[in-house]
Amino acid sequence: MADFLDEKRSEIGARLKELKPLVEEYQRLEAAVAALDGVAPTSSAPAARKTSARASSANHRRGKGTGRRGRPKGSGTRGAEALALVREKPGITIPEIAEQMGIKQNYLYRVLPGLAEDGVVRKDGRGWHPKETTTA
């Protein structure tokens, strides 16, 4: 009986030695996926350094912050795509833009007012027009 147990212990030990590098590789790959989850797929720029909440709120109190987190409204590729559609079809509505872009309307209800604040588009009724276009 002791020989049987020793043999099984030996077999299990050998198998553990075989599997150990695979488990370590699995753990490294898991860590890599977790690290990549925070990186945008088309981003080629290095990630910006995060500041602590205390430093961020201190900057805001001193007037250095904008009061908003993240990038400016309408500064992404979808904002540029929406602007291109407005220039292509003056008077286009948000539902029409959303349909053309294949996205939900609610995103555009935030983007287009941001573009209007930047002075590149204006709203006339339900439609959006490029700022350089005037209505008669």
Side-chain angles (χ1 to χ4, degrees):
M1 183 74 158
D3 291 338
F4 175 77
L5 292 177
D6 288 339
E7 182 181 336
K8 291 303 164 188
R9 281 189 187 112
S10 177
E11 287 174 9
I12 291 171
R15 185 67 178 143
L16 285 171
K17 283 183 183 178
E18 286 177 29
L19 293 175
K20 187 173 182 176
L22 297 174
V23 170
E24 290 170 348
E25 180 183 8
Y26 178 86
Q27 290 169 342
R28 284 192 307 269
L29 290 172
E30 240 182 356
V33 166
L36 290 174
D37 281 346
V39 177
T42 59
S43 174
S44 60
R49 234 179 86 202
K50 291 184 179 182
T51 60
S52 70
R54 175 183 276 173
S56 178
S57 64
N59 285 342
H60 183 66
R61 282 192 302 266
R62 291 186 209 127
K64 293 182 182 178
T66 62
R68 290 190 72 246
R69 291 175 33 176
R71 65 177 189 244
K73 288 185 214 171
S75 66
T77 56
R78 287 192 175 154
E81 191 177 347
L83 178 58
L85 285 170
V86 169
R87 286 182 174 151
E88 184 181 312
K89 298 178 182 177
I92 192 168
T93 64
I94 285 181
E96 293 167 338
I97 296 170
E99 184 179 329
Q100 292 277 325
M101 292 175 65
I103 63 173
K104 294 186 178 188
Q105 298 173 21
N106 64 345
Y107 177 79
L108 295 169
Y109 283 105
R110 290 181 289 154
V111 170
L112 286 167
L115 291 172
E117 284 178 20
D118 293 343
V120 293
V121 297
R122 64 179 173 74
K123 187 175 181 185
D124 185 12
R126 290 186 64 216
W128 290 86
H129 300 269
K131 193 64 169 198
E132 58 271 4
T133 302
T134 59
T135 59

